[in-house]
Amino acid sequence: MQIVLRGAAAGYEAEHTARIFFPGAEKAAEIPETGDFVLAASHEKTDFVLLRQGDSLCWRGALRPADADGEYALCTLLYGLLKQQTGQNPPWGMMTGVRPVRIIHDLRAMGATEAEIEDRFLGHFACTPEKFALARGIADLQRPVLENADPMDCSVYAGIPFCPTRCSYCSFVSRMVGDKATRALVQPYVDKLCEELTAIRRTADRCGLRIRTFYIGGGTPTSLSAAQLEQLMGHIARTFDLASLEEYTVEAGRPDCTDAEKLRIIKQYGATRISINPQTFSDEVLRNIGRRHTAQDILDCFAQARAAGHENINMDLIAGLPGDTVEGFTHSLKQAIALNPENITVHTLTLKRASNLVVEHRAAAYDDVAAMLAQGDLLWQAGYRPYYLYRQKGTLQNLENIGWAKPGKECLYNIYIMEEVHTILSAGAAGSTKLVIPGKRHGKIERIFNFKYPTEYIDRFDEVLARKRGVEEFYERYTTQTLCQL
Ligand code: SF4
């Protein structure tokens, strides 16, 4: 399927409205002579949309009222055509944004009534009442966190771009530690990462920032050797005031590189939350996605984590993996619940262009993904509550990822980053520092990017540090503006 856009109102929103129905569709400059395509075209006073699929050709056109929002009018016409022709009823309706909960926070901050917010979701976006209730429940739960947001708060993220093997659905910049060239990179990478974290601490101090949470993610942080993990976490413990943190997460990720010693190191150096991510408890599906471990390895790893004293554990699952079924996913969910972790995060498979699933054209249509996510009732019954939610472009059926937590065990970092509550200072390859001054609507946000690949990050490290001066400039501007307003 290809997407062809014509006219001033046919832009980002129309493109992503088409992808609600055809997640892997590519944008094309010209109408293709053969093959399936969607056309969305806006003219001065009219809109026209067309779908060619196989031998079938159908279209709709409409006169646009003088006061109409052109982009919204075109998208509504397109959505109506594609919904009718595909027979799909997307649960989030026409919403293309990735942060539904954020919309509620923003509308509330601007003084919208609850009825107006409901109308926005059910009327404007054509969401189902169930999805709106889900988003509103999460917004209510997050409200106190947002109300406590201080412009001078921040969190720190450190990224480890290495993994034991590549999962077939992965599109992250992560290199496999199994190959010799990559192994040689890991030690210099850890050394530079420590240096960057030192610089971040100094920057935070100079800007007067208060660090609320710390997060080591990836990739797979436990793909470091025990000695490298100890080096990194020991450095963090010496450089930052861990006692003042609200939360310190380390992604222990995969059991094929996480052992009792690494779990001990993570605990010893102050992490308060870890993540062990089975994705599925089916050995067959684990093989399908290119993982080298079994479901039993996950159970053993979880038991080792509890034995090491980890009292706040997250487990990630993915709905829609190749070869999985509704029954298989339900089994995985029940297995995760039986372990009684404090958090369970349920992702929906996302087809990113760089992933092997897409590259190898093995992606299947998963009609039952919605049925998998509906198993969330099991989480409710087990005492978990949804506390953060986001969607990604290319997610199967345009569905969502939901973090579930036992009450009081919500991951603050996830809320901070997803709802853009405060600045995230990122260290490491592909790190994206997001500078945030909270405001009534979206606040003020700027970004500073690190180099994407570990080799570039190591070789051009001086540039990485130089770019980070932008953090101080951002806060200098903010402080000056605030003083001028006094
Ligand atoms: S563990 Fe995560 S980052 Fe690593 S290959 Fe798998 S999906 Fe990608």
Side-chain angles (χ1 to χ4, degrees):
M1 180 62 67
Q2 298 189 68
I3 303 167
V4 184
L5 305 171
R6 293 277 185 274
Y12 177 91
E13 287 297 330
E15 181 183 342
H16 287 284
T17 299
R19 289 218 182 93
I20 291 173
F21 299 90
F22 304 109
E26 296 282 351
K27 207 168 130 184
E30 300 298 333
I31 291 175
E33 290 195 6
T34 57
D36 299 345
F37 73 94
V38 175
L39 168 70
S42 72
H43 305 282
E44 204 178 327
K45 293 180 181 167
T46 58
D47 293 312
F48 178 76
V49 295
L50 179 148
L51 171 69
R52 182 171 76 191
Q53 208 173 11
D55 294 332
S56 129
L57 192 65
C58 46
W59 62 87
R60 285 185 187 182
L63 270 175
R64 191 182 326 116
D67 57 348
D69 171 340
E71 195 173 52
Y72 181 68
L74 179 66
C75 289
T76 306
L77 194 67
L78 180 61
Y79 181 79
L81 176 77
L82 299 184
K83 188 174 165 194
Q84 184 191 54
Q85 293 304 313
T86 62
Q88 292 182 36
N89 193 16
W92 290 98
M94 287 173 60
M95 186 184 287
T96 57
V98 298
R99 294 184 171 86
V101 178
R102 185 73 199 270
I103 295 171
I104 298 177
H105 290 315
D106 285 344
L107 289 171
R108 281 178 175 167
M110 291 190 308
T113 65
E114 293 303 303
E116 286 167 340
I117 295 171
E118 183 170 347
D119 182 56
R120 186 82 179 164
F121 274 71
L122 303 188
H124 183 87
F125 291 125
C127 280
T128 61
E130 292 75 23
K131 292 299 178 198
F132 172 56
L134 173 69
R136 185 166 56 184
I138 293 174
D140 290 345
L141 189 146
Q142 292 179 346
R143 205 171 194 162
V145 178
L146 268 73
E147 283 171 357
N148 271 337
D150 186 289
M152 300 314 286
D153 282 344
C154 73
S155 290
V156 178
Y157 177 89
I160 306 295
F162 305 109
C163 287
T165 56
R166 189 164 184 84
C167 305
S168 59
Y169 56 85
C170 180
S171 62
F172 295 121
V173 181
S174 188
R175 294 189 49 164
M176 305 310 105
V177 284
D179 80 80
K180 207 171 156 195
T182 301
R183 265 203 307 280
L185 277 180
V186 180
Q187 186 57 52
Y189 180 84
V190 172
D191 294 341
K192 292 296 179 202
L193 184 61
C194 289
E195 254 188 78
E196 193 186 2
L197 287 167
T198 304
I200 281 180
R201 171 65 209 254
R202 288 197 198 112
T203 300
D205 286 351
R206 279 198 290 266
C207 295
L209 292 170
R210 183 167 73 113
I211 300 170
R212 306 256 320 240
T213 67
F214 207 108
Y215 197 105
I216 305 181
T220 307
T222 44
S223 61
L224 300 181
S225 69
Q228 288 160 341
L229 187 64
E230 186 157 27
Q231 177 192 345
L232 174 63
M233 293 195 68
H235 181 79
I236 290 167
R238 288 186 297 278
T239 308
F240 294 87
D241 177 13
L242 297 189
S244 68
L245 295 179
E246 294 174 313
E247 180 185 276
Y248 180 4
T249 298
V250 177
E251 283 183 4
R254 295 170 44 161
D256 44 356
C257 61
T258 306
D259 57 21
E261 190 185 3
K262 292 180 191 175
L263 289 163
R264 177 192 61 74
I265 290 167
I266 294 169
K267 183 72 188 163
Q268 180 187 339
Y269 286 95
T272 57
R273 179 178 180 273
I274 62 168
S275 194
I276 296 171
N277 302 327
Q279 316 303 13
T280 171
F281 280 92
S282 157
D283 287 342
E284 190 189 333
V285 178
L286 283 168
R287 273 194 302 277
N288 290 348
I289 61 173
R291 291 219 173 178
R292 273 187 323 215
H293 61 82
T294 62
Q296 185 59 47
D297 294 332
I298 299 160
L299 300 177
D300 295 344
C301 186
F302 189 88
Q304 285 175 338
R306 286 295 196 216
H310 291 287
E311 293 170 349
N312 192 356
I313 303 179
N314 170 67
M315 300 195 105
D316 278 3
L317 294 175
I318 299 179
L321 288 172
D324 209 357
T325 59
V326 177
E327 295 71 34
F329 179 79
T330 307
H331 165 74
S332 294
L333 192 55
K334 284 183 175 169
Q335 179 65 79
I337 291 170
L339 291 170
N340 200 25
E342 285 63 33
N343 295 181
I344 295 178
T345 308
V346 180
H347 296 270
T348 305
L349 183 66
T350 296
L351 301 178
K352 292 279 179 74
R353 289 202 180 86
S355 73
N356 288 341
L357 265 184
V358 172
V359 173
E360 296 168 11
H361 303 291
R362 287 169 52 210
Y366 294 100
D367 291 338
D368 42 17
V369 176
M372 292 182 184
L373 290 194
Q375 304 302 319
D377 281 354
L378 293 171
L379 288 156
W380 276 100
Q381 287 157 19
Y384 294 90
R385 297 292 171 263
Y387 76 97
Y388 92 110
L389 178 158
Y390 69 101
R391 308 189 316 151
Q392 283 164 288
K393 304 292 180 202
T395 297
L396 292 177
Q397 296 196 355
N398 200 32
L399 287 163
E400 67 277 356
N401 305 307
I402 303 180
W404 297 78
K406 292 279 176 74
K409 295 291 184 182
E410 298 83 12
C411 172
L412 290 170
Y413 177 85
N414 284 337
I415 299 176
Y416 293 153
I417 191 163
M418 202 46 61
E419 304 310 324
E420 297 173 327
V421 177
H422 64 221
T423 286
I424 308 288
L425 301 169
S426 288
S432 162
T433 287
K434 196 189 273 185
L435 301 161
V436 179
I437 301 293
K440 276 208 158 184
R441 186 168 165 77
H442 300 313
K444 179 173 175 48
I445 296 179
E446 290 180 17
R447 287 182 174 78
I448 299 173
F449 296 102
N450 282 3
F451 293 109
K452 203 168 167 187
Y453 299 102
T455 36
E456 270 180 301
Y457 174 77
I458 295 165
D459 294 345
R460 301 172 68 181
F461 187 69
D462 288 347
E463 288 176 64
V464 172
L465 294 186
R467 286 183 190 181
K468 280 286 191 321
R469 286 190 206 117
V471 176
E472 288 176 57
E473 288 161 17
F474 176 85
Y475 281 100
E476 272 165 25
R477 284 199 301 278
Y478 169 67
T479 311
T480 310
Q481 279 164 14
T482 309
L483 288 173
C484 289
Q485 286 162 8
L486 289 176

